[in-house]
Amino acid sequence: MSATLPRTPRRIGAARRLEPYAYVAPTAALMIVLMLVPIAMVIGYSFLDNVILNKDPEVVGLDNYIEVITDPVFGTAIANTLVFVTASVAAHLLIGLAFAMMLNSRLLGPRVLAAFRGIFILPWLFTAAIVAVLWRMLLSPNGVVNYLLGALGFGDGTTEWLSDPGLALGSVTFINIWSGYPFFMISLLAGLQGIPADLYEAAKVDGAGPIQRFWNVTIPQLKPIIISMALLDFIWTSQQFALIWMTTGGGPIVATEMLSTYTYKLAFAKYEFALASTSAVLILLLSMVLAVLYVRHQRARD
Amino acid sequence: MSRSTRGRRTALTAVGAMTAAAAVLMTAGCSADSGDADGDVTIEFAQWWEPELPEGALRSIMDDFEAANPGITVELISGPYASTKEQLFAGAASGTMPDVVGLDGAWVSDFAKQGAIADLTSLMNEQGMDDSKLASQIQIDGATYMIPVVNFVYPLFVNTDLLSEAGIDQVPSTRTEFETAAKAITDLGSGASGWVLPLSLEAPNGIQNDVMSWNWASGGSMLTDSGQPDVTNADVASTVEYVKSLWDDGVIAAGSFTMKEQDKVEEFTNGRVGMMIDSLSHINLIQENNPDLNFDIAAIPAEDGYDGSRGIPYASWGIGVADGSDHQAEALKLVEYLMSADVNSELSTIANAFPGNVDSTPEFGDGKELFEKAFEIYQSGYPANEFTGLPVSEELMRQFDTELQKYLSGDESVDEMLSTVQDSWTAEF
């Protein structure tokens, strides 16, 4: 007979209940230290007067929020970001879908398709710094783009694509579209390849033409991917900083000022870390709307 | 106890220990004391100079310092200018600045206010360092925070081939002569422009080097005697009006609003612009990239009829000591060493710069004719850079730059431009 006393059921029950928490503890600790603490600190900073530079900051309530929201440049930054993001996401989707359908075509041989797949995916392989340097050179007034346009008889070959306040926003949006469409293309191509062929065959038997098959088979089948990708791209593109900063620095004047460059300048040019935190909190709130939409969409799918 | 329960307990203990270790590692700063039991001290020296000097040059100076000061080891933390700047600002905010720091005059005011860099006046007094041979000291409220180690001047660079092709036989010395020469070069029809003006908002130092330099060259100022903003004065107005007249003449290379300093140098190196104002430190770069380019340097043109001494813009490799350093005495020894006559001469020679010690002289010789000429220009005028030591000076340049872009685009008048800048600068001060 064993001399060990059996443990009470209550203690065993408590240990069992705590066990799952212990397993998630490392991840939870990482999330708390790397995400929750910084977010809480930034939110806290947004209610203080100039933190970091000021050794004894005081609570100023909503003053920072009023200052940022009433700054006309902040309004311009919101408008520019909206134009930049909406145009980028729409173009990423259209170009990505067109190229994905081309790569999914049976009209071309496997080698040709492999070659095109390699070429189409190239822009996605470059980091933002390379993309910025590349397009700064291409779009320079003495660059290749102006030379080609001039040689073909379009314009006088002296267009200032990035330096003209009227063209700069369009130019950086174009660069962002160029560098981002392959991600859509790859995801949509995977989606296209997963559509059962019998759906198309059934549609054909029912007398559907190519356009009807596209609208009634392809698009409904890709819809979950399209919505997820569009929401994610919306969030990512609204955070685009490096490309804008390295091509135009938010200029000329404020033509390409985005929420990201606006916040960066507050923090690292003006050293107004409290105002920068305020701007960051406002961006967080705007991003959260999109994040909530994304999560709800994912939940609905599940 | 069953094997599975024991196993689960062990797993729980391990997980708990890992969590605790991770939390401790992540939350605790790694504050290692760089002194060891023998009394040997390692000091960190963060700067952007090493990549800009010939390979191994700065390390060799550090080796000499270590040989002369047994017990002190110098660890160089080197990176390009922009990343050094970001590192130092992050270090200043978190109180982890390296012991000795390379400084730009534009950062001094902010670091000093933050209490990130040490008051060198009292440190020099404590340690008995003689400062009588220092050519200049950057002070905030009467205390020195930065010592310029070497200075780079920004003269006018002229493409002599383009100039003579345009029928101009003399390097311009006045604003009218400059405008005439710039027009003549642009009118050649070769695609070359007369002048180049980088106004990128990402790096707005074009305001200091390429715009305000015209003001300083004619003895003008953008500050009051007490150091407050005074950009609405007649000298600054005449400077921006002059830049606008060059803009309207169409003699400025296209792409100004997003052009950076390196683009400017590239345009000049490739013979696409006739004249630029640039750092002397780029002479080697230009000669290496285009050995066939014939160019000369001169003082920046002054207003017609001005015969006073000409201010010439400069940038410094400055040095300072971290306020939080545990080894300030050793750090100051390194500063003293770099500022000593011989070492300063050596550093200024290899950097193509002018010394920060009044007794030092850079070596001239074959292939250094332009350098020698620049030294004459430097000595006949005075170093001028009113942005040095100003609060958030880069932001001041950016505000000026944004308004200048509006003025050049015709969106506002010169008076509107300057009064907007005056208001925004006053707010920053």
Side-chain angles (χ1 to χ4, degrees):
Chain A
M1 204 178 154
S2 167
T4 321
L5 285 171
R7 291 203 293 161
T8 59
R10 193 185 286 174
R11 282 189 62 196
I12 293 173
R16 284 244 169 98
R17 273 204 306 279
L18 286 176
E19 197 176 312
Y21 296 105
Y23 283 118
V24 297
T27 314
L30 275 173
M31 299 270 283
I32 289 168
V33 174
L34 297 179
M35 287 184 68
L36 284 183
V37 171
I39 291 174
M41 281 173 74
V42 167
I43 293 173
Y45 284 169
S46 71
F47 294 104
L48 300 172
D49 69 350
N50 203 9
V51 283
I52 299 178
L53 291 193
N54 189 348
K55 282 189 174 167
D56 302 304
E58 287 168 12
V59 177
V60 291
L62 292 173
D63 285 6
N64 290 331
Y65 286 88
I66 293 166
E67 189 172 341
V68 169
I69 290 169
T70 53
D71 182 356
V73 181
F74 182 71
T76 310
I78 289 187
N80 286 345
T81 309
L82 261 179
V83 172
F84 176 71
V85 175
T86 314
S88 293
V89 174
H92 281 163
L93 174 62
L94 289 176
I95 298 171
L97 184 59
F99 283 178
M101 290 184 65
M102 203 193 111
L103 292 177
N104 198 40
S105 158
R106 289 186 190 161
L107 300 172
L108 298 169
R111 284 194 184 164
V112 180
L113 284 178
F116 272 106
R117 198 171 293 163
I119 294 167
F120 286 161
I121 207 168
L122 265 183
W124 196 39
L125 303 181
F126 299 129
T127 59
I130 308 271
V131 172
V133 171
L134 189 73
W135 280 99
R136 273 179 66 88
M137 286 162 78
L138 287 173
L139 293 177
S140 142
N142 300 311
V144 177
V145 171
N146 270 348
Y147 172 77
L148 289 176
L149 288 176
L152 294 171
F154 298 106
D156 55 358
T158 56
T159 312
E160 296 180 84
W161 296 103
L162 292 167
S163 302
D164 183 332
L167 294 174
L169 184 58
S171 301
V172 290
T173 309
F174 173 81
I175 300 172
N176 190 57
I177 290 169
W178 178 85
S179 65
Y181 78 83
F183 186 51
F184 262 81
M185 182 188 81
I186 295 290
S187 309
L188 292 174
L189 181 59
L192 283 173
Q193 286 168 345
I195 300 176
D198 47 5
L199 287 180
Y200 288 107
E201 280 163 21
K204 234 183 199 172
V205 171
D206 289 344
I211 295 173
Q212 282 175 310
R213 288 202 297 276
F214 173 75
W215 285 113
N216 298 313
V217 178
T218 311
I219 292 294
Q221 288 291 311
L222 289 180
K223 205 174 145 196
I225 301 179
I226 290 175
I227 293 176
S228 303
M229 295 290 302
L231 281 170
L232 280 179
D233 197 31
F234 217 93
I235 295 171
W236 290 337
T237 310
S238 63
Q239 293 165 356
Q240 180 62 272
F241 167 75
L243 185 70
I244 307 287
W245 189 245
M246 283 185 276
T247 47
T248 61
I253 312 174
V254 287
T256 61
E257 191 78 283
M258 304 284 161
L259 288 170
S260 54
T261 52
Y262 177 81
T263 309
Y264 178 86
K265 283 179 188 172
L266 281 177
F268 297 105
K270 287 187 159 189
Y271 311 120
E272 295 276 2
F273 290 98
L275 288 177
S277 302
T278 310
S279 171
V281 171
L282 291 170
I283 297 173
L284 177 72
L285 291 175
L286 293 175
S287 304
M288 271 172 72
V289 175
L290 295 169
V292 167
L293 284 176
Y294 177 72
V295 171
R296 281 181 66 175
H297 172 254
Q298 290 293 319
R299 263 208 206 142
R301 275 187 69 196
D302 295 342
Chain B
M1 194 190 298
S2 74
R3 183 176 287 181
S4 70
T5 313
R6 201 163 49 232
R8 210 178 285 153
R9 268 195 162 180
T10 318
L12 271 175
T13 318
V15 165
M18 274 162 53
T19 312
V24 167
L25 270 177
M26 281 181 292
T27 48
C30 303
S31 60
D33 191 349
S34 46
D36 64 20
D38 308 331
D40 286 353
V41 163
T42 300
I43 51 173
E44 292 179 335
F45 178 20
Q47 32 60 46
W48 66 96
W49 314 348
E50 193 177 24
E52 298 194 9
L53 289 171
E55 204 178 332
L58 189 63
R59 186 64 253 174
S60 134
I61 293 176
M62 292 304 119
D63 292 344
D64 295 344
F65 168 75
E66 287 171 8
N69 294 276
I72 306 179
T73 309
V74 182
E75 189 187 323
L76 289 177
I77 302 174
S78 308
Y81 174 87
S83 57
T84 303
K85 179 186 163 192
E86 278 168 17
Q87 248 176 32
L88 292 185
F89 273 93
S94 59
T96 55
M97 247 191 179
D99 304 275
V100 185
V101 284
L103 292 173
D104 185 309
W107 316 336
V108 179
S109 169
D110 304 306
F111 283 155
K113 277 189 196 146
Q114 246 177 303
I117 49 176
D119 169 358
L120 294 178
T121 307
S122 50
L123 193 59
M124 287 190 288
N125 284 339
E126 271 170 37
Q127 302 297 326
M129 176 178 158
D130 173 21
D131 67 348
S132 63
K133 298 296 179 191
L134 301 181
S136 60
Q137 303 182 36
I138 306 302
Q139 299 191 321
I140 309 287
D141 300 330
T144 298
Y145 286 91
M146 174 184 125
I147 299 170
V149 180
V150 291
N151 300 312
F152 296 91
V153 294
Y154 281 68
L156 176 72
F157 283 64
V158 183
N159 180 326
T160 45
D161 289 343
L162 278 176
L163 205 65
S164 55
E165 218 178 297
I168 309 281
D169 46 13
Q170 223 178 357
V171 175
S173 170
T174 65
R175 288 186 185 177
T176 305
E177 286 174 13
F178 182 86
E179 192 166 3
T180 309
K183 274 186 195 164
I185 292 169
T186 311
D187 290 344
L188 283 174
S190 61
S193 299
W195 187 43
V196 59
L197 173 63
L199 290 178
S200 164
L201 289 171
E202 185 206 335
N205 59 356
I207 294 302
Q208 168 188 285
N209 303 330
D210 304 83
V211 177
M212 208 49 85
S213 50
W214 290 93
N215 184 27
W216 298 326
S218 301
S221 171
M222 56 177 211
L223 301 174
T224 61
D225 291 340
S226 58
Q228 291 301 304
D230 183 23
V231 286
T232 46
N233 73 45
D235 292 330
V236 179
S238 121
T239 301
V240 290
E241 279 169 342
Y242 178 67
V243 171
K244 170 81 164 142
S245 70
L246 294 174
W247 181 270
D248 292 341
D249 290 342
V251 301
I252 298 178
S256 260
F257 287 179
T258 48
M259 192 180 275
K260 301 178 198 182
E261 189 173 68
Q262 60 263 38
D263 304 319
K264 169 179 82 175
V265 180
E266 200 180 302
E267 293 283 285
F268 183 82
T269 308
N270 293 330
R272 287 198 292 262
V273 294
M275 296 179 281
M276 71 165 176
I277 297 167
D278 191 37
S279 169
L280 202 58
S281 63
H282 290 145
I283 287 185
N284 290 347
L285 186 76
I286 296 168
Q287 285 171 336
E288 272 169 29
N289 289 346
N290 188 357
D292 299 331
L293 188 79
N294 293 313
F295 65 98
D296 197 1
I297 56 166
I300 296 169
E303 268 185 305
D304 298 29
Y306 177 77
D307 57 3
S309 170
R310 294 184 187 197
I312 180 161
Y314 74 99
S316 302
W317 283 1
I319 201 164
V321 172
D323 194 54
S325 166
D326 293 331
H327 309 295
Q328 287 193 340
E330 290 81 1
L332 195 73
K333 270 190 185 166
L334 178 61
V335 175
E336 194 172 6
Y337 183 76
L338 288 172
M339 297 312 299
S340 62
D342 291 346
V343 178
N344 204 247
S345 300
E346 185 190 345
L347 189 59
S348 54
T349 304
I350 53 177
N352 271 340
F354 299 140
N357 180 316
V358 288
D359 289 341
S360 302
T361 40
E363 273 176 39
F364 303 116
D366 284 350
K368 291 217 164 190
E369 294 79 10
L370 287 176
F371 185 39
E372 195 166 356
K373 189 170 181 186
F375 198 50
E376 283 164 22
I377 298 169
Y378 179 67
Q379 285 185 314
S380 65
Y382 61 93
N385 187 345
E386 292 185 303
F387 283 101
T388 298
L390 293 191
V392 289
S393 54
E394 192 184 296
E395 179 58 18
L396 300 181
M397 291 179 215
R398 187 170 285 118
Q399 288 168 355
F400 195 104
D401 196 345
T402 307
E403 296 307 314
L404 179 63
Q405 291 191 10
K406 287 185 193 167
Y407 172 50
L408 294 179
S409 305
D411 295 347
E412 61 186 18
S413 69
V414 64
D415 293 336
E416 284 167 340
M417 176 210 155
L418 294 178
S419 67
T420 308
V421 175
Q422 175 73 19
D423 291 346
S424 57
W425 279 24
T426 307
E428 298 296 347
F429 274 62

